[in-house]
Amino acid sequence: MHTIRCYEYTSYDILSRLKPAVEQQSEKTKPTNHKITAKDFIEKRDYTGALTILKFDIEKSKEDVELELWIAYCYFHLGDYNNAMLIYKNHCKNSGIKHLFVNLACCYFYLGMYPEAEDVLDKSDISDVKIRLQFHLSHKQGDEKKLMEYHELLADVVEDQLSLAAIHYLRSHYQEAIDIYKKLMINNRNFLALNVYMALCYYKLDFYDVSQEILDVYIKKYPDSMILTNLKACNLYKLYDGKAAESELKNIIARRSSTFKFCEDLIKHNMVVFREGEGALQVLPALVDILPEARLNLVIYYLRQGENEEAYELIKDLEPAIPQEYILKAIVNVVVGQEKGDTKQIDSGQSLFNMVGSSSSECDTIPGRQCMASSLFLEGRYDEVSLYLSSIKSYFSNDDSFNFNFAQVKLSLGEYKEAEEMYLQVKSNKIRDSFIYINHLTHCFIMNKKPQSAWDLYLKIENSQDSLIILQSIANDCYKTNQFWQSAKAFDMLERLDLLPEYWEGKRGACAGIFQQIVLGNQPQDQIADVIHLLRNSANSQVEQMIKMMKKWAKNNKIVV
């Protein structure tokens, strides 16, 4: 699959000041010894250990609000937003602590329940966390006006700048995000997680080697980080293959606690990607409204399975916001449009390709050039398509789809030698067995004066439904290019299948052509016996006259027929 979900990194950026409500209370309500022990675990970010102690304590102190809020805090940081939400929701009803509404809104946000998060925030007091969360909610809900309003409220402090960088990242402004992180690194060298954020951006910019190098700074300190391991696996997938990536994820999965829910959906999603779509229908549908890439990858899965209508239904209402979404929606529109013969839908896809290919941010990227090539291809401007594809050819030497598409362009330009070479580079059986591939390669063979190769290709599909069209192509193309022997054989086969007058006329002309080539010395003389044998397969009254003339010439030239 083409898109991998790395990590939508908002837990620290938005919620870095999220604390349980008990920290707002007096010294008298601070945890006792057991609770301090739990807090020690929290300070070490061992939320699983803290949760174990807190659950033990809550058994002895039923309805202890303070303990319950610490438990919610641990659930949240373990990625178990649903359980955290249930606790905060209960206490929002029964307590007057307005700080809890922000915590509840954070849970709603991570659960994808954006309207609920917005409603709850209205009940909370103004705070830095509230502003950051409203900033991100505006992005999620596509409200540009509110997004800019909350942008103006952000201050030049670490947490707000991290939140701004996260929005840049989510809007595909990766270089802008990197600039913020580099600026923060100057005065905050101990903020090692900034290296991970920069690595994420470089991953999105396709600099997988650079991303991997930056990760090394963080991995020495936190070798068991889920985010780090996931990103490392994604880099390995891009640099090597799915097996290497899957192996990396399996190592961390085996070591994590059963109560650790953070990244669980992310890992399930990426495992499907690394396994080339295996288990897609079991995993991706449930994640469509949680991870944006899940929708895109499910669309890709449907396309690969030939379930184009399902792909269209999943993406038709999506308003593209990032290049990948524009590209995938363009592909689906073109595929479905060609399938239905709907020119308007094809034009819609062509327009989306053009938007990506002509945009200032994408025009010089590899996907951008592919998009412009696709747009021009649909307009029939093949000479320009060839220029774009030539500029990125070195990146796709083993890509079957690229070679197949480029071969079609070369064929359209009459560059048959190059077209043949590219068609023959295709290894995919699915493509090689398609009618378009066989028909086009047959034409290339004929135009490159390899009629026997074209005939051999026909023999491989002789019993298929498309064999008649291929046979007609060989008969007519060989005739036009003076390759009369293969043309005569093809017309002979067609005549046996259907006694149409035009088949006899084609066969007669081809036989006359090969006879002329034999007379002129351009074909071996003993081939005349094969021509006579071919003519005898026809019942037309003109056959005997032609055979008589050929035999007379053979006798005069002492050729046995």
Side-chain angles (χ1 to χ4, degrees), residues 176-190:
E176 289 86 343
I178 290 172
D179 292 342
I180 292 174
Y181 294 137
K182 285 183 175 179
K183 183 180 177 182
L184 291 172
M185 282 287 286
I186 295 173
N187 297 319
N188 301 281
R189 291 288 178 184
N190 60 321

Side-chain angles (χ1 to χ4, degrees), residues 10-69:
T10 50
S11 61
Y12 179 74
D13 307 333
I14 301 175
L15 313 175
S16 53
R17 292 294 178 89
L18 175 61
K19 302 294 181 184
V22 292
E23 293 195 2
Q24 309 295 320
Q25 299 172 12
S26 67
E27 290 293 319
K28 292 180 181 179
T29 61
K30 284 191 175 181
T32 60
N33 289 338
H34 271 302
K35 297 167 191 174
I36 291 172
T37 304
K39 191 173 181 180
D40 287 340
F41 276 109
I42 291 171
E43 288 174 353
K44 296 176 183 177
R45 298 184 183 181
D46 184 356
Y47 303 110
T48 302
L51 190 60
T52 302
I53 293 174
L54 290 168
K55 283 184 175 181
F56 176 79
D57 287 345
I58 201 71
E59 287 295 320
K60 297 186 295 183
S61 306
K62 297 292 185 182
E63 298 182 1
D64 187 320
V65 174
E66 181 183 355
L67 283 176
E68 288 186 0
L69 293 177

Side-chain angles (χ1 to χ4, degrees), residues 389-406:
L389 294 184
S390 294
S391 71
I392 57 176
K393 182 181 177 182
S394 59
Y395 298 97
F396 296 96
S397 57
N398 296 316
D399 189 293
D400 287 338
S401 295
F402 180 87
N403 288 326
F404 177 63
N405 290 334
F406 205 172

